[in-house]
Amino acid sequence: MIKVENIYKNFGKKSVLCGVNLEVCSGQTLVIVGSSGVGKSILLKTIVGLIKPESGSVTIDNVDITKCAPSDLQKIQKKMGYVFQEAALFDSLNIFENVAFGLRTLTNLDEQGIRNRVVKCLAMVGLKNVEHLKPANLSGGMKKRVAIARTISYKPNYIFYDEPTTGLDPIMSDIISDLIISLKKDLNVSSIVVTHDMNSAYKIADKIMMIYEGKIIFSGAPEEVKSTDNEYVQQFVKGSRYGPIQQTDRIFEME
Amino acid sequence: MKQTLNVFQFYKTKQTFIYEIVEGLGKTVCMVLETFSYIFKFDINFQSTVNQMVEVGWRSTPIVLLTSFFTGMVLALQVGTATSNLFNEPVYVGTVTGFSMVIELGPVLTAIVVTGRVGAAITAELGTMKVTEQLDALYTLGTNPVRYLAVSRLLACFFMLPILTVISNIVGIYGGLILSTNTWGLPSCTYLSQSLDFMTVRTFLHGFIKSFFFALIIVIVACYKGFNAKNGAEGVGKSVTESVVTSMVLILIADYFLTFLLVTLRIK
């Protein structure tokens, strides 16, 4: 189980996360939505231990990763998989080696087992005969799919997806959404998904949360999102520029 | 009031500057300790180390050969010209060229060339990995980036720079030999006896020992700047520049202190 309590994170004078609380039970998929730049990816990185929060706790399998020793953190991290927004494939390795990387470091599979698993995982994300290519030879969407294959290859208990369907065509987005659902059903994987793709969110989520100005302003089941009268959520879901969320104000502030 | 504000701003800037230096030193020490802890635990990726050795050693050889050869020739030309003006004939050409190459120019020039070629490449590679989240990806895949990336580079540089230095010494002396025989008409056996007669194992060790320290400086600075790169491609470019400049300056400063230490220890 993942439990996040009262997380605060600042960058200089800018507060990005202000007392965020959330809980993800075993086998549950939580989708986090919100405008660009509100701290969704920061929250995800804080949960996996890549960013240290100013205060608050992140408890995974009863271990507070904000306070535990690096060796314990590494043990917990081995149970987690992270799909990066920009794929973060290793440039110097080919696709096979990229997907095999986690298998070599986190499992005891032999070379034949690794080969079989890599081919299987690439097929699951709709990729064939790309093993010999370097990441530079792939399109953005293909890189994203390789990143997903790399993450699911070693069968982590928790998977964190940072915009998994961004840059993919609608059909492939649907395939990835189905993949997330099947991982949950078959392997009881708990997932936190950051996305702007509401179709995908409705399809995969057990619970949807919305972040605004560093705080969770809404939390509920997909049906509740559709029926809520929260005007922030409504504006976001409808994709309207008119409403309480002022994009221009935020851009001006960032400048 | 405005002046008070300016003074306050000045102290604040100075404070930030000092804080950044102390923070940088602290991070560097942590990184070095972590790297050495993996080496002492023998937690080494041999394949990667061999690849890096090829990159640092074999691929740097042509440029080291070229610079050393011409440096040796320039030295011989300068010494010959200066002594011809003083004594009407070129004297001590072999002695000065040999000693200069072995104790000073060989190690320093090789280190500077390797800084420009290898140090810059290490910072660029690690910096790009940092800004494209590849280092974070390594963490999430259960791999410590220091262990995976810094250890092999440090070992490769530590073993290859001294070898390159020895090659540089030989080629530099050979460059001086070519010039001395062709320009000053000095018999090659005379040049070689001048070069080698007064040279002892301690003379050779003087330059050889320095090269190990220079290797450490190059890799530590390059890795630190790479691991701490930020702000995209522009930031990586800035880190590479800082890495090369810092390494070169530190090599020259360290050269003085090492020379002082080695001379005091009578390794000369």
Side-chain angles (χ1 to χ4, degrees):
Chain A
M1 192 176 89
I2 302 168
K3 196 172 183 184
V4 174
E5 285 176 298
N6 228 12
I7 285 287
Y8 283 84
K9 180 68 197 171
N10 306 328
F11 287 103
K13 287 175 184 169
K14 187 175 165 60
S15 295
V16 181
L17 300 175
C18 314
V20 172
N21 293 287
L22 62 86
E23 204 173 300
V24 182
C25 299
S26 180
Q28 197 180 38
T29 301
L30 168 70
V31 172
I32 300 174
V33 296
S35 311
S36 301
V38 292
K40 303 185 295 295
S41 299
I42 299 294
L43 175 60
L44 221 52
K45 285 184 179 177
T46 308
I47 295 171
V48 293
L50 291 173
I51 292 177
K52 226 173 163 53
E54 252 68 63
S55 64
S57 67
V58 177
T59 312
I60 296 172
D61 287 349
N62 300 320
V63 178
D64 183 355
I65 65 159
T66 59
K67 293 183 180 72
C68 69
S71 54
D72 293 331
L73 177 62
Q74 225 166 4
K75 276 180 204 163
I76 292 286
Q77 277 177 333
K78 286 179 182 179
K79 295 181 185 176
M80 300 191 275
Y82 194 108
V83 179
F84 287 85
Q85 199 173 347
E86 306 289 339
L89 300 180
F90 305 124
D91 296 329
S92 55
L93 305 179
N94 64 22
I95 300 308
F96 178 86
E97 288 302 329
N98 261 286
V99 180
F101 196 96
L103 295 170
R104 293 193 203 288
T105 55
L106 301 169
T107 69
N108 297 319
L109 283 176
D110 60 10
E111 204 49 42
Q112 188 56 44
I114 289 173
R115 181 157 290 281
N116 294 341
R117 185 80 68 84
V118 169
V119 173
K120 189 181 167 192
C121 290
L122 285 172
M124 283 167 84
V125 294
L127 291 171
K128 275 180 187 168
N129 303 322
V130 294
E131 290 91 333
H132 61 287
L133 297 174
K134 286 281 179 82
N137 302 122
L138 301 184
S139 69
M142 287 167 94
K143 282 183 195 170
K144 184 66 74 69
R145 285 189 273 158
V146 174
I148 294 170
R150 181 174 68 180
T151 305
I152 62 174
S153 65
Y154 57 94
K155 298 179 179 170
N157 299 350
Y158 304 100
I159 305 185
F160 302 88
Y161 301 87
D162 196 350
E163 300 190 18
T165 55
T166 306
L168 302 182
D169 61 79
I171 298 166
M172 190 43 67
S173 294
D174 200 46
I175 291 171
I176 297 300
S177 299
D178 284 340
L179 181 68
I180 295 170
I181 294 166
S182 69
L183 285 170
K184 182 175 79 170
K185 279 183 183 160
D186 301 341
L187 303 170
N188 200 32
V189 171
S190 309
S191 307
I192 300 183
V193 185
V194 163
T195 187
H196 296 125
D197 180 352
M198 288 312 294
N199 289 332
S200 171
Y202 290 137
K203 188 169 182 178
I204 62 179
D206 293 309
K207 191 159 74 175
I208 296 178
M209 278 183 175
M210 182 165 167
I211 294 190
Y212 182 67
E213 291 186 340
K215 292 176 185 147
I216 304 282
I217 56 161
F218 175 84
S219 176
E223 296 75 36
E224 292 174 65
V225 175
K226 291 173 188 167
S227 59
T228 182
D229 52 3
N230 184 320
E231 49 190 355
Y232 290 90
V233 177
Q234 281 306 313
Q235 184 192 353
F236 184 81
V237 169
K238 285 175 187 164
S240 166
R241 62 179 296 184
Y242 303 105
I245 304 172
Q246 294 298 313
Q247 293 284 352
T248 46
D249 285 354
R250 210 173 58 249
I251 292 163
F252 181 72
E253 273 171 29
M254 284 171 77
E255 280 171 353
Chain B
M1 182 67 183
K2 199 176 175 186
Q3 207 170 7
T4 318
L5 273 175
N6 281 345
V7 170
F8 179 70
Q9 193 65 36
F10 172 74
Y11 277 111
K12 206 176 166 191
T13 314
K14 212 171 168 186
Q15 224 175 6
T16 314
F17 179 67
I18 292 167
Y19 176 81
E20 277 173 8
I21 288 178
V22 173
E23 191 190 26
L25 280 173
K27 279 184 181 173
T28 310
V29 170
C30 288
M31 191 193 76
V32 171
L33 290 177
E34 202 177 345
T35 309
F36 277 103
S37 77
Y38 285 115
I39 292 172
F40 290 132
K41 280 189 275 184
F42 225 65
D43 193 354
I44 298 161
N45 183 339
F46 287 99
Q47 182 61 48
S48 173
T49 307
V50 171
N51 291 344
Q52 289 301 322
M53 279 177 160
V54 171
E55 187 57 41
V56 176
W58 180 245
R59 299 215 170 111
S60 299
T61 307
I63 185 94
V64 168
L65 292 180
L66 199 72
T67 49
S68 310
F69 185 74
F70 279 96
T71 305
M73 289 215 295
V74 168
L75 258 179
L77 186 62
Q78 295 278 26
V79 175
T81 309
T83 52
S84 292
N85 289 340
L86 286 170
F87 310 112
N88 290 326
E89 62 172 324
V91 290
Y92 301 123
V93 177
T95 313
V96 175
T97 307
F99 268 81
S100 304
M101 283 307 300
V102 171
I103 63 173
E104 203 54 59
L105 287 173
V108 172
L109 267 181
T110 309
I112 297 228
V113 166
V114 170
T115 299
R117 216 193 79 80
V118 178
I122 291 174
T123 308
E125 188 182 359
L126 301 191
T128 306
M129 289 184 79
K130 172 76 193 304
V131 300
T132 56
E133 297 181 311
Q134 289 177 53
L135 297 184
D136 285 343
L138 278 176
Y139 268 119
T140 61
L141 292 167
T143 304
N144 186 315
V146 171
R147 181 187 153 269
Y148 185 68
L149 299 165
V151 171
S152 54
R153 282 160 178 78
L154 181 80
L155 286 174
C157 216
F158 197 71
F159 286 116
M160 296 318 288
L161 193 66
I163 294 172
L164 285 173
T165 302
V166 173
I167 294 170
S168 165
N169 294 341
I170 295 166
V171 173
I173 293 171
Y174 181 70
L177 171 81
I178 298 288
L179 186 120
S180 301
T181 50
N182 289 309
T183 308
W184 307 117
L186 209 64
S188 52
C189 56
T190 308
Y191 173 87
L192 284 176
S193 70
Q194 280 179 3
S195 298
L196 303 174
D197 278 356
F198 300 104
M199 214 173 278
T200 62
V201 175
R202 283 167 181 259
T203 319
F204 169 76
L205 277 178
H206 186 99
F208 196 65
I209 290 170
K210 281 179 180 178
S211 63
F212 286 103
F213 287 92
F214 295 159
L216 287 180
I217 290 172
I218 294 166
V219 179
I220 289 165
V221 172
C223 287
Y224 173 76
K225 290 290 178 187
F227 282 141
N228 291 286
K230 51 189 169 189
N231 300 333
E234 190 192 358
V236 173
K238 205 175 152 200
S239 289
V240 172
T241 309
E242 283 173 4
S243 164
V244 172
V245 172
T246 310
S247 286
M248 284 182 181
V249 170
L250 286 179
I251 284 166
L252 294 174
I253 293 171
D255 187 37
Y256 167 74
F257 288 104
L258 285 170
T259 305
F260 187 81
L261 181 73
L262 291 168
V263 168
T264 310
L265 295 171
R266 296 185 174 280
I267 302 172
K268 57 182 178 179

